[in-house]
Amino acid sequence: MEESTKCEQVGVIGELMLGEELTKKLYSQLFPSSSVSSSSSSSTSSRDTNEVLIEKIISTMEKAIAMVNCMANVGESKAKNGSMMDSHCSFINGSPKSEVMEPEVEHRDVSKKRKTMPRRRDQVKVCLETAEGTKEDGYSWRKYGQKDILGAKFPRAYYRCTYRNIQGCLATKQVQKSDEDPMVNEITYIGRHTCTQASHLSKAVVSPSKTKTVIEENQHQTNQKNQPQQEKIEHPPEKIFSFGSQVEVKVEDLDHKQGIFPSFCFSSPSIGSENEDNSNIFPYSMIENNLMESFSPAFISPTTSESDMFCHWESTGLGQSVHSSTSDITDIVSTPTSVTNSPIMDFDFLLDKIDFDIDFPMATTELCT
DNA sequence: CTAATTTGACCACG
DNA sequence: CGTGGTCAAATTAG
């Protein structure tokens, strides 16, 4: 348990350090005269606009908060059932833009169906978990659709927050069985809950078996009809549930994105497409953010080419099962959904180009193993 | 009865 | 035009 906590702490520290760095940088940009050494711009491309920096800072802080919450949750659940429940997660974070809310926009009258689609994904959280466990994430969802997905054996189910109409909560999630392993569900969370649901965290995640989690958090806006503006976009810090024991991240280029399994393939999406525009947000900001945000502060990957970026990262830790570390990994590896078997190997290439100054989860992972 | 799910149609996007 | 996401009427569950 300690180790797991440690893993998390590292992550939190990383986030905070990154936040600090970003803040310094912003400061130096705002007040060029004074000198607050902003280190190299690791994560930030040396040319981020103030706006971008602020967004990143916000994002970083949110993550740190989420991690802390995670730790807390894990602690609880662990206490409750120290059994095995591993969770596998990865944070992929998307574009730095954080707010931009207030969609409202035009609701031109289209027929009565489907208005405009949100289509904006900032952060993503995806979650894989075993079917048998189909754990609750603590929120109540209402299914609103199901669709067969091309190339997938199983249909994808669409859920929205039960309190959508009542509280204007726009959170949604998509659940789909893994092609490879029907026992595994891939869950993609989109948007964050703005509703207040009693249960959540507490009951979150309790799986007798393994749970893989990746989370995808998006914020799309655009409401439909005219309903909505009331949504106040405030993001309660707690939103996330207890994922965290393990992380698996896989990033690959858009072009190949569908080649892979269900695991987590994130392409660098929307980012440069719509709004990023002016500011210089590199296409891979998403990836970079993820990597560096989740791990180390001074992590700037030149991201080299924008193609074929592929990272796989796993970490155990976080708390959930104390004794299962080893088996966890095994599971992961063997699970069809999980990618290859040597996360570490994959990760190595990153290590090569980056130097970490803090040991993050990865390192711990090995220990856990 | 109300609430949730099912399911085919609708729609935006590429 | 195909695909994925959403709507909403019909159906089922509580």
Side-chain angles (χ1 to χ4, degrees):
Chain A
M1 48 181 350
E2 276 185 88
E3 41 186 87
S4 54
T5 301
K6 194 174 183 179
C7 289
E8 280 305 302
Q9 290 183 323
V10 172
V12 174
I13 291 171
E15 290 296 321
L16 294 174
M17 289 177 73
L18 176 60
E20 178 184 27
E21 183 185 343
L22 291 168
T23 303
K24 286 180 180 177
K25 185 168 183 174
L26 175 62
Y27 183 88
S28 64
Q29 288 186 190
L30 292 173
F31 311 101
S33 53
S34 39
S35 61
V36 172
S37 62
S38 71
S39 55
S40 47
S41 45
S42 26
S43 49
T44 64
S45 81
S46 51
R47 250 212 128 74
D48 288 332
T49 61
N50 293 336
E51 182 181 359
V52 172
L53 286 172
I54 292 172
E55 289 173 344
K56 287 184 178 181
I57 291 169
I58 292 171
S59 175
T60 299
M61 294 304 157
E62 288 181 344
K63 280 188 183 167
I65 291 170
M67 287 180 180
V68 171
N69 278 315
C70 254
M71 293 168 71
N73 291 328
V74 170
E76 287 182 20
S77 58
K78 194 195 320 191
K80 250 184 164 186
N81 73 355
S83 62
M84 49 203 69
M85 84 180 220
D86 330 325
S87 95
H88 206 175
C89 52
S90 67
F91 297 55
I92 294 231
N93 179 354
S95 60
K97 63 175 38 293
S98 50
E99 300 310 291
V100 193
M101 318 301 224
E102 286 332 296
E104 69 178 285
V105 235
E106 22 48 53
H107 49 63
R108 40 197 185 181
D109 45 330
V110 186
S111 54
K112 44 172 57 179
K113 298 228 167 195
R114 213 187 185 343
K115 314 302 176 170
T116 50
M117 295 236 333
R119 264 333 49 149
R120 180 181 303 173
R121 312 189 146 201
D122 284 6
Q123 301 173 24
V124 188
K125 296 176 189 166
V126 177
C127 177
L128 294 182
E129 63 182 19
T130 56
E132 53 185 297
T134 301
K135 280 10 326 161
E136 288 307 319
D137 46 26
Y139 291 99
S140 59
W141 302 92
R142 178 165 177 168
K143 188 173 183 177
Y144 66 86
Q146 180 169 304
K147 198 83 168 127
D148 287 315
I149 300 303
L150 190 70
K153 291 179 181 177
F154 306 97
R156 177 178 300 164
Y158 299 86
Y159 297 84
R160 66 174 170 70
C161 179
T162 302
Y163 307 107
R164 176 173 205 151
N165 299 322
I166 302 171
Q167 296 184 41
C169 179
L170 297 177
T172 63
K173 75 170 179 178
Q174 300 175 0
V175 180
Q176 182 170 21
K177 265 184 189 175
S178 166
D179 289 7
E180 302 301 317
D181 183 352
M183 293 302 283
V184 176
N185 285 331
E186 284 180 64
I187 302 175
T188 301
Y189 291 86
I190 303 171
R192 61 181 77 196
H193 285 272
T194 56
C195 62
T196 53
Q197 294 189 39
S199 54
H200 54 194
L201 299 178
S202 49
K203 64 200 280 187
V205 189
V206 177
S207 121
S209 55
K210 62 197 172 195
T211 300
K212 291 184 169 188
T213 310
V214 177
I215 292 161
E216 177 171 335
E217 180 178 338
N218 300 350
Q219 336 204 66
H220 34 357
Q221 274 357 341
T222 329
N223 324 329
Q224 346 203 319
K225 311 189 171 186
N226 37 11
Q227 86 175 65
Q229 280 54 347
Q230 59 175 80
E231 52 175 334
K232 46 318 198 57
I233 315 277
E234 42 185 311
H235 2 284
E238 17 107 69
K239 56 178 188 169
I240 308 211
F241 32 97
S242 57
F243 45 25
S245 44
Q246 299 182 338
V247 180
E248 178 174 324
V249 179
K250 187 160 98 178
V251 180
E252 64 178 286
D253 192 30
L254 303 171
D255 299 327
H256 314 75
K257 65 173 153 191
Q258 55 178 338
I260 304 259
F261 326 47
S263 313
F264 330 124
C265 310
F266 294 88
S267 38
S268 57
S270 47
I271 307 192
S273 47
E274 282 190 66
N275 328 299
E276 309 309 334
D277 51 15
N278 46 20
S279 37
N280 17 342
I281 295 176
F282 16 68
Y284 270 86
S285 57
M286 181 174 207
I287 294 172
E288 291 186 11
N289 282 336
N290 296 329
L291 295 178
M292 70 179 204
E293 292 185 345
S294 301
F295 318 37
S296 107
F299 181 125
I300 293 206
S301 64
T303 305
T304 58
S305 64
E306 18 183 283
S307 52
D308 307 310
M309 169 86 169
F310 191 85
C311 320
H312 183 188
W313 174 54
E314 292 188 11
S315 101
T316 344
L318 246 235
Q320 328 212 353
S321 45
V322 178
H323 58 78
S324 60
S325 355
T326 304
S327 56
D328 289 348
I329 290 181
T330 307
D331 285 337
I332 295 168
V333 174
S334 59
T335 302
T337 44
S338 67
V339 196
T340 60
N341 39 8
S342 64
I344 296 173
M345 295 294 261
D346 291 331
F347 211 79
D348 281 347
F349 94 90
L350 287 175
L351 294 174
D352 292 338
K353 356 179 127 181
I354 297 131
D355 46 346
F356 308 87
D357 11 23
I358 66 173
D359 46 316
F360 46 89
M362 204 41 209
T364 313
T365 298
E366 299 184 56
L367 295 177
C368 296
T369 309

